[in-house]
Amino acid sequence: MAMDLSALIIASVGVFGTLASGLLAQRSALRVKRLELESAERQRAAELDSSTREAARNALRGCFIELNYSLRTYYSELDTCLRMSSRESGGRRVEASLEGSRQAVRSALAGAQMIARASILRASKECGGSLGEAYRILVSIDRHDDRREELLAEARFLLETVSPKLVQMRDEMRGELGVESPGD
């Protein structure tokens, strides 16, 4: 009888082991599947985060390009108008020829206010303010013919001081984007 009992115990352990191995295998497979799903979810989240960061970086880059281009174009056109005003009067022509550039700067500044860092906004507003002041001076020269040379000198000074500020602002933008500045 002892032998029957031990055979029964061995058989029971064998059956239990067989049944348990199936359950353990299923549980292990479920665990592996859950880990795979979690890994895939983390990867999707990382890819989404990466694409979101890339889209934000591209938006910032586009904003910086527009702001830099519009300020430099405005500067260049003001410089041309200054040279023309030094030779002849024509404040109304100056005003009309620069309106598109002024609007482009306003638009670029408005876009930058939404995504640019405060230091870049301060620099761009300072440049835009100096260029705007030079514009007001050039437009008013015809009304103040007695102060023509003084006003031209003031406008020239403003343009000379804003030029290095434009370079500094561009370098800050490049730094924000992780691009090395050329050092010019």
Side-chain angles (χ1 to χ4, degrees):
M1 179 132 171
M3 191 125 149
D4 289 337
L5 186 60
S6 50
L8 183 63
I9 292 174
I10 291 173
S12 298
V13 168
V15 170
F16 178 73
T18 303
L19 291 174
S21 70
L23 289 174
L24 289 175
Q26 182 181 7
R27 187 171 179 194
S28 177
L30 289 173
R31 183 172 176 253
V32 167
K33 184 67 172 172
R34 183 177 46 84
L35 290 173
E36 286 175 358
L37 289 173
E38 287 173 0
S39 176
E41 182 60 31
R42 279 192 305 273
Q43 184 176 358
R44 273 194 300 274
E47 288 171 0
L48 179 63
D49 187 45
S50 176
S51 66
T52 300
R53 279 194 313 270
E54 186 65 27
R57 186 176 188 281
N58 286 338
L60 187 63
R61 182 179 180 275
C63 171
F64 286 172
I65 289 169
E66 182 182 358
L67 184 58
N68 186 50
Y69 179 77
S70 65
L71 284 167
R72 288 183 173 281
T73 300
Y74 192 30
Y75 169 85
S76 178
E77 289 179 5
L78 280 167
D79 188 53
T80 300
C81 287
L82 175 65
R83 283 186 267 121
M84 286 176 19
S85 293
S86 296
R87 288 183 241 132
E88 60 188 59
S89 63
R92 292 285 174 226
R93 284 194 314 267
V94 168
E95 189 174 359
S97 69
L98 291 173
E99 191 54 34
S101 292
R102 290 180 70 221
Q103 291 301 323
V105 168
R106 283 186 187 139
S107 174
L109 282 170
Q113 287 174 346
M114 299 300 126
I115 59 176
R117 275 191 342 209
S119 64
I120 292 172
L121 285 177
R122 279 191 299 276
S124 62
K125 285 179 180 179
E126 187 177 336
C127 290
S130 295
L131 293 173
E133 185 60 29
Y135 167 82
R136 285 185 285 287
I137 291 169
L138 289 172
V139 168
S140 72
I141 285 178
D142 288 347
R143 291 187 303 255
H144 303 286
D145 206 37
D146 57 324
R147 297 179 47 217
R148 182 178 190 76
E149 291 307 314
E150 175 189 341
L151 292 173
L152 286 171
E154 190 177 341
R156 191 173 296 111
F157 174 77
L158 283 167
L159 291 179
E160 288 170 357
T161 59
V162 82
S163 182
K165 291 176 186 175
L166 287 169
V167 171
Q168 181 182 0
M169 181 191 67
R170 181 207 57 207
D171 289 346
E172 275 193 56
M173 290 175 179
R174 290 174 63 90
E176 175 81 8
L177 293 171
V179 178
E180 187 177 320
S181 291
D184 56 299

